[in-house]
Amino acid sequence: MTDLTPLGAALRAALDGRWAQVRQEARERFTPEDLLTDPTLDQEAHQARVFEQMRLLAGTGHPRNGFPVEFGGRNDVGASVTAFEMLAHGDLSLLVKAGVHWGLFGGAIVNLGTREHHERYLEDVISFALPGCFAMTEVGHGSDVQHLHTTATYDPGTGEFVVDTPHEGAVKTYIGGAARDGRLAVVFAQLVTGGRSHGVHALLVPIRDEAGRACPGVAIGDCGAKAGLAGVDNGTLAFDHVRVPRTALLNRFGDVAGDGTYSSPIENESRRFFTMLGTLVRGRVSVAGAAGSATKTALAIAIRYAAQRSQFAAPGSEEEVLLLDYRTHQRKLLPALATSYALQFAQNELVASLHEVQTAVEPDEVAQRELESRVAGIKAVVTWHATSTIQTCREACGGAGYLAENRLPALKADTDVFTTFEGDNTVLLQLVAKGLLTGYRDTFGDLDTLGMVRYAAGQIAASVIERTATRPLLERIGGAGPRTGDTDLRDRALHLRLFEDREKHVLEGLARRLRRAGAPDADAFAVFNAAQDHVLRAARAYVDRVVLKAFVAGIEACTDPAARETLSRVCDLYALSTIEQDKAWFLEHGRLTPSRAKAVTAAVNALCAELRPDALALVEGFGIPAEWLGAPIAVQPAGGARQREATVAQRA
């Protein structure tokens, strides 16, 4: 593994977080041959390659992190998600295949099943002896899982559930592992017993026998070629009155007795549904982490290339200028790099919260709901950041970035779907805003008139709680009081205050609009639908504030003086570039004067220039072994780029 500069090593230590040892073990354990795939493979060969990589991955023991100790695991949720993040620096088809099998399929058995299911299946799941898939999405119901149409009707005469696909819109689709390798599926269906539906539940349904033949009554299709992730065998599943035993029901939250009597520890159907889905929140955390890793890989390739590729000479000079010395190039890559740092600190906090919630002896419903809201928002922001940044990196590398051998086209194609799987980003931000408005009510009920009227009593309290959570931080770094005039734009307290004030103002404005739903003749849905733009802005303002707060906490935790100083400037760049992107709002609402708005742009330019000499060290801080990048344009010529980097630093 390439030696690190002292600054790069210190930045890596700061960014690695609580599970740094897991990251280091992955760096030492995995070779490029383990993680990367020949980009010229056709779909069939790619899927076969990924299947073999899955077997090798199972043999390393890494998948055991997320499973209970008594069934062969290590019960370390944080380690499991962190290992998944590291895997995302390689072939994303392998990442998604692993996430579907161990994360979604295995996670559903752990979290929705009971001891009988754990004893029967988990060892084979962990070892990959029983390839599985997660059959939730339907042709007609993607994000609206609560109203999917597949049915599981209990027959008390035989003690079996009859799983059926009643029409084409209920066909399970985009199911990873279904088209080629999966043998057992976790199928989400409306559970019906005694002529009554009890909402969505999950059952284990065999789809293939050991010889690979489809089971009776199961129709398996192949989704075919996709824009990316060719190594994942996405397929369709349809069931024609397929019978499975009563014990196939994953019955932690709802059970059916032999005579057909239904029982559940959670009486309210809506609350039960969201409690079940809440246990699967690890998937969204993992997607956010994976998107962040893929983005950092793209930035590492683009920045390393820009630090050695030169073009055009300055007037009066014969030496061509390095790409990274151009302000336009710095503007393309360095604010995106700063955002990736910010999002990684937020991701580290999210993983720690997930670990605490899912390993707690006693469940904490309030903590669970808050976690779900933050996960939804950060997943949306991180995956949108991935889509825009990887495209920018491709453009920044010109024609070289378009070559398959340099990985950027694959990263672009493979991450594109991240914005819509594990929750469509727009829908997720709606959930974030709804959580802010309702103060994490006991259930995510439908938007009704009464719910909006309750805003006056509940929303302000929730908003105040969120805002005051930032106050101790403001007091620690100085600047709890108002500041005016020529405040230094690099004042961290100013950044926090601007982010917090925007969040408060937007949320309260949204609440005022939604109060109209309380009128006697109001159409609550129409009111909510008309405010969708405001809903998304409120959620985004909340996430931006959470991310900035996490970055500040990360700086406070850093003990290396040089790294701390560099991180401080990176944080300034993140905050000011975010403000610059939303400059119109700050101007319209009087938070910035026109002259101060111009000063924000000047400050962003100045920070890009200041961070330019540290660009390679900042890339080292991402913690990606150079050999994992797998892109010829990312290879540094011996001494050349580093020497020129030092020359630039001296000139600065």
Side-chain angles (χ1 to χ4, degrees):
M1 191 160 56
T2 306
D3 292 335
L4 302 181
T5 61
L7 178 58
L11 290 168
R12 176 179 294 190
L15 211 57
D16 270 0
R18 177 173 167 182
W19 284 273
Q21 184 57 37
V22 174
R23 298 185 192 278
Q24 189 57 30
E25 287 174 1
R27 294 178 189 120
E28 295 171 356
R29 168 65 181 81
F30 294 118
T31 67
E33 290 71 28
D34 294 326
L35 299 179
L36 303 179
T37 299
D38 182 350
T40 65
L41 292 179
D42 61 27
Q43 180 172 294
E44 183 177 350
H46 195 169
Q47 290 180 4
R49 159 73 172 160
V50 168
F51 186 79
E52 289 307 311
Q53 286 176 302
M54 287 287 289
R55 287 181 166 173
L56 292 172
L57 187 58
T60 67
H62 277 257
R64 296 188 177 274
N65 284 322
F67 290 91
V69 173
E70 59 185 317
F71 301 106
R74 301 189 181 111
N75 198 36
D76 193 334
V77 174
S80 176
V81 176
T82 301
F84 191 76
E85 284 183 33
M86 296 303 291
L87 197 62
H89 292 300
D91 180 6
L92 291 175
S93 286
L94 172 61
L95 171 98
V96 171
K97 183 87 168 180
V100 168
H101 176 77
W102 286 298
L104 296 178
F105 172 67
I109 294 173
V110 170
N111 293 299
L112 302 181
T114 48
R115 188 176 186 87
E116 179 181 354
H117 303 106
H118 300 165
E119 291 177 342
R120 180 174 179 182
Y121 295 108
L122 286 187
E123 185 52 47
D124 285 343
V125 170
I126 294 170
S127 68
F128 197 54
L130 179 63
C133 47
F134 186 82
M136 178 181 281
T137 301
E138 294 181 355
V139 170
H141 289 83
S143 297
D144 188 9
V145 178
Q146 195 169 10
H147 298 104
L148 54 76
H149 286 177
T150 301
T151 58
T153 305
Y154 184 66
D155 179 355
T158 62
E160 296 171 316
F161 285 101
V162 181
V163 182
D164 189 55
T165 303
H167 53 77
E168 289 187 3
V171 172
K172 300 293 184 182
T173 190
Y174 299 116
I175 310 304
R180 182 183 185 272
D181 300 323
R183 285 173 39 208
L184 186 67
V186 172
V187 177
F188 287 80
Q190 300 288 348
L191 188 148
V192 180
T193 180
R196 178 187 169 191
S197 174
H198 294 276
V200 173
H201 290 65
L203 301 92
L204 293 168
V205 182
I207 61 172
R208 283 186 180 85
D209 61 23
E210 293 187 5
R213 297 182 295 262
C215 294
V218 179
I220 301 175
D222 193 324
C223 289
K226 307 181 293 293
L229 299 174
V232 182
D233 51 327
N234 293 96
T236 62
L237 294 172
F239 307 97
D240 184 5
H241 297 88
V242 174
R243 289 181 172 268
V244 294
R246 183 169 61 90
T247 55
L249 176 66
L250 295 175
N251 59 339
R252 178 182 174 188
F253 296 105
D255 201 4
V256 175
D259 64 358
T261 302
Y262 178 83
S263 62
S264 172
I266 305 174
E267 291 187 12
N268 182 279
E269 184 177 311
S270 180
R271 184 181 176 198
R272 181 168 62 243
F273 170 75
F274 283 103
T275 298
M276 285 193 290
L277 289 194
T279 65
L280 305 177
V281 71
R282 191 187 309 182
R284 283 180 185 162
V285 179
S286 298
V287 168
S293 293
T295 308
K296 290 195 284 289
T297 297
L299 283 166
I301 292 169
I303 290 173
R304 287 169 67 93
Y305 179 64
Q308 60 180 303
R309 171 79 160 89
S310 57
Q311 190 161 254
F312 302 113
S317 172
E318 295 183 359
E319 185 178 2
E320 292 185 328
V321 179
L322 288 170
L323 293 181
L324 202 51
D325 287 338
Y326 287 105
R327 176 60 50 78
T328 52
H329 218 77
Q330 294 169 9
R331 271 284 197 160
K332 285 181 180 180
L333 298 177
L334 297 186
L337 179 147
T339 300
S340 285
Y341 262 80
L343 291 171
Q344 185 60 57
F345 281 116
Q347 175 73 8
N348 289 349
E349 284 194 354
L350 206 61
V351 172
S353 296
L354 174 74
H355 181 85
E356 300 306 324
V357 167
Q358 295 202 336
T359 59
V361 177
E362 294 294 332
D364 184 337
E365 190 170 333
V366 173
Q368 174 71 30
R369 288 292 163 79
E370 182 175 356
L371 173 66
E372 290 167 15
S373 187
R374 291 198 178 203
V375 168
I378 289 176
K379 183 268 179 186
V381 170
V382 173
T383 54
W384 272 327
H385 174 63
T387 296
S388 63
T389 301
I390 294 171
Q391 173 64 23
T392 297
C393 290
R394 206 295 298 159
E395 293 179 18
C397 294
Y402 199 61
L403 296 176
E405 70 175 5
N406 288 320
R407 292 194 65 198
L408 292 171
L411 288 169
K412 179 181 172 182
D414 290 346
T415 57
D416 190 60
V417 74
F418 283 21
T419 60
T420 52
F421 78 16
E422 282 298 312
D424 175 274
N425 282 356
T426 300
V427 175
L428 292 181
L429 287 187
Q430 291 172 354
L431 291 177
V432 172
K434 195 171 181 183
L436 293 173
L437 287 166
T438 58
Y440 306 108
R441 286 192 324 207
D442 288 342
T443 64
F444 290 125
D446 292 334
L447 183 80
D448 53 18
T449 301
L450 179 60
M452 289 301 98
V453 172
R454 285 177 178 165
Y455 154 72
Q459 183 269 332
I460 288 186
S463 180
V464 168
I465 289 171
E466 282 293 324
R467 295 201 306 273
T468 55
T470 307
R471 292 302 177 200
L473 183 59
L474 281 168
E475 291 166 2
R476 285 203 306 275
I477 65 177
R483 295 193 180 188
T484 58
D486 296 326
T487 305
D488 183 1
L489 284 175
R490 301 194 191 188
D491 182 349
R492 192 63 38 70
L494 173 67
H495 301 160
L496 286 163
R497 190 174 301 105
L498 285 173
F499 278 49
E500 182 185 78
D501 182 58
R502 180 181 56 161
E503 177 192 358
K504 172 182 178 291
H505 185 96
V506 172
L507 185 59
E508 291 180 350
L510 172 61
R512 284 193 298 272
R513 290 182 68 177
L514 295 181
R515 274 200 196 119
R516 300 168 192 166
D521 58 346
D523 181 338
F525 174 76
V527 172
F528 184 76
N529 195 42
Q532 287 291 288
D533 58 329
H534 210 149
V535 166
L536 299 182
R537 177 175 280 278
R540 183 60 190 256
Y542 161 79
V543 175
D544 285 347
R545 196 264 303 164
V546 167
V547 171
L548 177 59
K549 184 168 173 272
F551 201 157
V552 174
I555 294 171
E556 288 190 325
C558 179
T559 57
D560 183 274
R564 189 183 177 104
E565 171 60 28
T566 301
L567 286 173
S568 184
R569 284 183 287 146
V570 174
C571 186
D572 288 343
L573 180 56
Y574 164 70
L576 291 173
S577 61
T578 301
I579 292 168
E580 184 184 42
Q581 288 170 7
D582 205 14
K583 189 186 293 185
W585 187 93
F586 289 102
L587 281 165
E588 288 171 0
H589 294 83
R591 270 59 175 184
L592 290 177
T593 64
S595 62
R596 295 294 284 164
K598 291 178 182 178
V600 168
T601 296
V604 170
N605 287 338
L607 283 163
C608 285
E610 289 175 25
L611 289 169
R612 159 61 181 104
D614 295 325
L616 289 178
L618 286 163
V619 165
E620 289 178 341
F622 285 157
I624 312 168
E627 56 270 25
W628 284 12
L629 295 177
I633 59 170
V635 176
Q636 295 285 349
R642 296 249 177 201
Q643 180 58 46
R644 301 191 70 175
E645 191 79 5
T647 301
V648 170
Q650 290 170 3
R651 287 204 303 266

